[in-house]
mmCIF file of all heavy atoms in Angstrom:
data_model
loop_
_atom_site.group_PDB
_atom_site.id
_atom_site.type_symbol
_atom_site.label_atom_id
_atom_site.label_comp_id
_atom_site.label_asym_id
_atom_site.label_seq_id
_atom_site.Cartn_x
_atom_site.Cartn_y
_atom_site.Cartn_z
ATOM 1 N N ILE A 18 -20.699 6.512 17.667
ATOM 2 C CA ILE A 18 -21.355 5.255 17.298
ATOM 3 C C ILE A 18 -20.462 4.062 17.610
ATOM 4 O O ILE A 18 -20.919 3.048 18.144
ATOM 5 C CB ILE A 18 -21.774 5.278 15.812
ATOM 6 C CG1 ILE A 18 -22.900 6.294 15.628
ATOM 7 C CG2 ILE A 18 -22.203 3.897 15.338
ATOM 8 C CD1 ILE A 18 -23.253 6.586 14.193
ATOM 9 N N LEU A 19 -19.173 4.169 17.299
ATOM 10 C CA LEU A 19 -18.251 3.079 17.612
ATOM 11 C C LEU A 19 -18.084 2.913 19.119
ATOM 12 O O LEU A 19 -17.911 1.795 19.612
ATOM 13 C CB LEU A 19 -16.899 3.325 16.949
ATOM 14 C CG LEU A 19 -16.869 3.158 15.433
ATOM 15 C CD1 LEU A 19 -15.553 3.674 14.869
ATOM 16 C CD2 LEU A 19 -17.093 1.714 15.049
ATOM 17 N N GLY A 20 -18.129 4.010 19.863
ATOM 18 C CA GLY A 20 -18.062 3.934 21.318
ATOM 19 C C GLY A 20 -19.231 3.148 21.880
ATOM 20 O O GLY A 20 -19.082 2.348 22.818
ATOM 21 N N ILE A 21 -20.403 3.364 21.324
ATOM 22 C CA ILE A 21 -21.586 2.609 21.749
ATOM 23 C C ILE A 21 -21.442 1.142 21.355
ATOM 24 O O ILE A 21 -21.754 0.240 22.133
ATOM 25 C CB ILE A 21 -22.863 3.231 21.137
ATOM 26 C CG1 ILE A 21 -23.103 4.619 21.725
ATOM 27 C CG2 ILE A 21 -24.069 2.333 21.361
ATOM 28 C CD1 ILE A 21 -24.142 5.438 20.985
ATOM 29 N N LEU A 22 -20.944 0.898 20.157
ATOM 30 C CA LEU A 22 -20.783 -0.466 19.666
ATOM 31 C C LEU A 22 -19.811 -1.262 20.537
ATOM 32 O O LEU A 22 -20.098 -2.390 20.932
ATOM 33 C CB LEU A 22 -20.278 -0.449 18.216
ATOM 34 C CG LEU A 22 -19.894 -1.792 17.608
ATOM 35 C CD1 LEU A 22 -21.139 -2.633 17.362
ATOM 36 C CD2 LEU A 22 -19.119 -1.592 16.329
ATOM 37 N N TYR A 23 -18.666 -0.679 20.845
ATOM 38 C CA TYR A 23 -17.629 -1.389 21.595
ATOM 39 C C TYR A 23 -17.735 -1.199 23.097
ATOM 40 O O TYR A 23 -16.991 -1.825 23.848
ATOM 41 C CB TYR A 23 -16.234 -0.950 21.143
ATOM 42 C CG TYR A 23 -15.896 -1.392 19.750
ATOM 43 C CD1 TYR A 23 -15.562 -0.474 18.783
ATOM 44 C CD2 TYR A 23 -15.922 -2.732 19.405
ATOM 45 C CE1 TYR A 23 -15.249 -0.871 17.495
ATOM 46 C CE2 TYR A 23 -15.618 -3.136 18.121
ATOM 47 C CZ TYR A 23 -15.286 -2.207 17.176
ATOM 48 O OH TYR A 23 -14.984 -2.605 15.910
ATOM 49 N N GLU A 24 -18.607 -0.315 23.555
ATOM 50 C CA GLU A 24 -18.704 0.035 24.969
ATOM 51 C C GLU A 24 -17.320 0.374 25.508
ATOM 52 O O GLU A 24 -16.886 -0.122 26.541
ATOM 53 C CB GLU A 24 -19.341 -1.094 25.773
ATOM 54 C CG GLU A 24 -20.762 -1.395 25.375
ATOM 55 C CD GLU A 24 -21.362 -2.544 26.161
ATOM 56 O OE1 GLU A 24 -20.632 -3.214 26.922
ATOM 57 O OE2 GLU A 24 -22.561 -2.779 26.019
ATOM 58 N N SER A 25 -16.619 1.198 24.771
ATOM 59 C CA SER A 25 -15.241 1.542 25.081
ATOM 60 C C SER A 25 -14.946 2.952 24.603
ATOM 61 O O SER A 25 -15.532 3.417 23.625
ATOM 62 C CB SER A 25 -14.302 0.549 24.380
ATOM 63 O OG SER A 25 -12.976 0.972 24.446
ATOM 64 N N TYR A 26 -14.028 3.608 25.297
ATOM 65 C CA TYR A 26 -13.567 4.921 24.862
ATOM 66 C C TYR A 26 -12.341 4.805 23.965
ATOM 67 O O TYR A 26 -12.030 5.706 23.206
ATOM 68 C CB TYR A 26 -13.207 5.799 26.074
ATOM 69 C CG TYR A 26 -14.382 6.067 26.973
ATOM 70 C CD1 TYR A 26 -14.524 5.392 28.174
ATOM 71 C CD2 TYR A 26 -15.351 6.990 26.616
ATOM 72 C CE1 TYR A 26 -15.608 5.639 28.998
ATOM 73 C CE2 TYR A 26 -16.436 7.239 27.422
ATOM 74 C CZ TYR A 26 -16.558 6.560 28.616
ATOM 75 O OH TYR A 26 -17.638 6.798 29.417
ATOM 76 N N ILE A 27 -11.645 3.681 24.059
ATOM 77 C CA ILE A 27 -10.368 3.496 23.380
ATOM 78 C C ILE A 27 -10.515 2.888 21.988
ATOM 79 O O ILE A 27 -9.910 3.358 21.036
ATOM 80 C CB ILE A 27 -9.453 2.591 24.242
ATOM 81 C CG1 ILE A 27 -9.106 3.301 25.527
ATOM 82 C CG2 ILE A 27 -8.217 2.171 23.499
ATOM 83 C CD1 ILE A 27 -8.020 4.311 25.419
ATOM 84 N N HIS A 28 -11.314 1.844 21.860
ATOM 85 C CA HIS A 28 -11.362 1.128 20.587
ATOM 86 C C HIS A 28 -11.924 1.934 19.416
ATOM 87 O O HIS A 28 -11.509 1.706 18.281
ATOM 88 C CB HIS A 28 -12.077 -0.204 20.740
ATOM 89 C CG HIS A 28 -11.283 -1.188 21.530
ATOM 90 N ND1 HIS A 28 -9.961 -1.459 21.252
ATOM 91 C CD2 HIS A 28 -11.591 -1.927 22.608
ATOM 92 C CE1 HIS A 28 -9.503 -2.333 22.111
ATOM 93 N NE2 HIS A 28 -10.471 -2.632 22.959
ATOM 94 N N PRO A 29 -12.822 2.886 19.649
ATOM 95 C CA PRO A 29 -13.192 3.741 18.508
ATOM 96 C C PRO A 29 -12.005 4.516 17.944
ATOM 97 O O PRO A 29 -11.887 4.691 16.740
ATOM 98 C CB PRO A 29 -14.243 4.683 19.090
ATOM 99 C CG PRO A 29 -14.827 3.930 20.218
ATOM 100 C CD PRO A 29 -13.711 3.109 20.787
ATOM 101 N N VAL A 30 -11.107 4.937 18.827
ATOM 102 C CA VAL A 30 -9.909 5.641 18.368
ATOM 103 C C VAL A 30 -9.020 4.681 17.578
ATOM 104 O O VAL A 30 -8.417 5.070 16.578
ATOM 105 C CB VAL A 30 -9.144 6.262 19.560
ATOM 106 C CG1 VAL A 30 -7.868 6.941 19.104
ATOM 107 C CG2 VAL A 30 -10.029 7.243 20.307
ATOM 108 N N THR A 31 -8.964 3.432 18.005
ATOM 109 C CA THR A 31 -8.185 2.431 17.278
ATOM 110 C C THR A 31 -8.715 2.269 15.861
ATOM 111 O O THR A 31 -7.946 2.250 14.899
ATOM 112 C CB THR A 31 -8.241 1.074 18.009
ATOM 113 O OG1 THR A 31 -7.874 1.252 19.376
ATOM 114 C CG2 THR A 31 -7.327 0.074 17.362
ATOM 115 N N VAL A 32 -10.029 2.151 15.727
ATOM 116 C CA VAL A 32 -10.636 1.994 14.405
ATOM 117 C C VAL A 32 -10.412 3.242 13.562
ATOM 118 O O VAL A 32 -10.051 3.165 12.389
ATOM 119 C CB VAL A 32 -12.144 1.686 14.532
ATOM 120 C CG1 VAL A 32 -12.828 1.755 13.179
ATOM 121 C CG2 VAL A 32 -12.358 0.317 15.164
ATOM 122 N N LEU A 33 -10.607 4.412 14.165
ATOM 123 C CA LEU A 33 -10.491 5.670 13.425
ATOM 124 C C LEU A 33 -9.047 6.099 13.183
ATOM 125 O O LEU A 33 -8.810 7.062 12.450
ATOM 126 C CB LEU A 33 -11.245 6.775 14.172
ATOM 127 C CG LEU A 33 -12.755 6.561 14.316
ATOM 128 C CD1 LEU A 33 -13.371 7.669 15.159
ATOM 129 C CD2 LEU A 33 -13.427 6.475 12.967
ATOM 130 N N SER A 34 -8.090 5.388 13.759
ATOM 131 C CA SER A 34 -6.684 5.767 13.591
ATOM 132 C C SER A 34 -6.214 5.657 12.145
ATOM 133 O O SER A 34 -5.232 6.284 11.761
ATOM 134 C CB SER A 34 -5.795 4.906 14.490
ATOM 135 O OG SER A 34 -5.838 3.554 14.068
ATOM 136 N N SER A 35 -6.906 4.889 11.348
ATOM 137 C CA SER A 35 -6.503 4.746 9.950
ATOM 138 C C SER A 35 -7.044 5.876 9.068
ATOM 139 O O SER A 35 -6.596 6.030 7.936
ATOM 140 C CB SER A 35 -6.974 3.396 9.411
ATOM 141 O OG SER A 35 -8.369 3.265 9.590
ATOM 142 N N LEU A 36 -7.970 6.659 9.574
ATOM 143 C CA LEU A 36 -8.552 7.729 8.763
ATOM 144 C C LEU A 36 -7.543 8.812 8.369
ATOM 145 O O LEU A 36 -7.552 9.243 7.216
ATOM 146 C CB LEU A 36 -9.750 8.360 9.473
ATOM 147 C CG LEU A 36 -10.976 7.479 9.629
ATOM 148 C CD1 LEU A 36 -12.107 8.263 10.278
ATOM 149 C CD2 LEU A 36 -11.419 6.883 8.325
ATOM 150 N N PRO A 37 -6.687 9.281 9.279
ATOM 151 C CA PRO A 37 -5.719 10.300 8.837
ATOM 152 C C PRO A 37 -4.797 9.814 7.730
ATOM 153 O O PRO A 37 -4.498 10.561 6.796
ATOM 154 C CB PRO A 37 -4.921 10.620 10.107
ATOM 155 C CG PRO A 37 -5.804 10.232 11.230
ATOM 156 C CD PRO A 37 -6.612 9.070 10.729
ATOM 157 N N VAL A 38 -4.375 8.562 7.805
ATOM 158 C CA VAL A 38 -3.491 7.998 6.775
ATOM 159 C C VAL A 38 -4.212 7.982 5.426
ATOM 160 O O VAL A 38 -3.653 8.379 4.395
ATOM 161 C CB VAL A 38 -3.040 6.575 7.177
ATOM 162 C CG1 VAL A 38 -2.263 5.920 6.062
ATOM 163 C CG2 VAL A 38 -2.232 6.613 8.454
ATOM 164 N N ALA A 39 -5.464 7.541 5.442
ATOM 165 C CA ALA A 39 -6.238 7.471 4.202
ATOM 166 C C ALA A 39 -6.507 8.865 3.642
ATOM 167 O O ALA A 39 -6.391 9.089 2.435
ATOM 168 C CB ALA A 39 -7.552 6.742 4.449
ATOM 169 N N THR A 40 -6.858 9.801 4.514
ATOM 170 C CA THR A 40 -7.154 11.165 4.066
ATOM 171 C C THR A 40 -5.922 11.827 3.470
ATOM 172 O O THR A 40 -6.003 12.476 2.428
ATOM 173 C CB THR A 40 -7.707 11.998 5.237
ATOM 174 O OG1 THR A 40 -8.843 11.311 5.795
ATOM 175 C CG2 THR A 40 -8.143 13.368 4.785
ATOM 176 N N VAL A 41 -4.793 11.650 4.112
ATOM 177 C CA VAL A 41 -3.550 12.216 3.576
ATOM 178 C C VAL A 41 -3.232 11.582 2.221
ATOM 179 O O VAL A 41 -2.813 12.275 1.287
ATOM 180 C CB VAL A 41 -2.379 12.029 4.572
ATOM 181 C CG1 VAL A 41 -1.042 12.307 3.926
ATOM 182 C CG2 VAL A 41 -2.580 12.930 5.782
ATOM 183 N N GLY A 42 -3.446 10.287 2.088
ATOM 184 C CA GLY A 42 -3.229 9.625 0.804
ATOM 185 C C GLY A 42 -4.138 10.170 -0.287
ATOM 186 O O GLY A 42 -3.703 10.410 -1.414
#
Side-chain angles (χ1 to χ4, degrees):
I18 291 170
L19 288 170
I21 293 167
L22 173 71
Y23 291 122
E24 297 178 352
S25 169
Y26 298 103
I27 294 280
H28 290 310
V30 177
T31 308
V32 170
L33 297 176
S34 66
S35 56
L36 292 183
V38 173
T40 305
V41 167

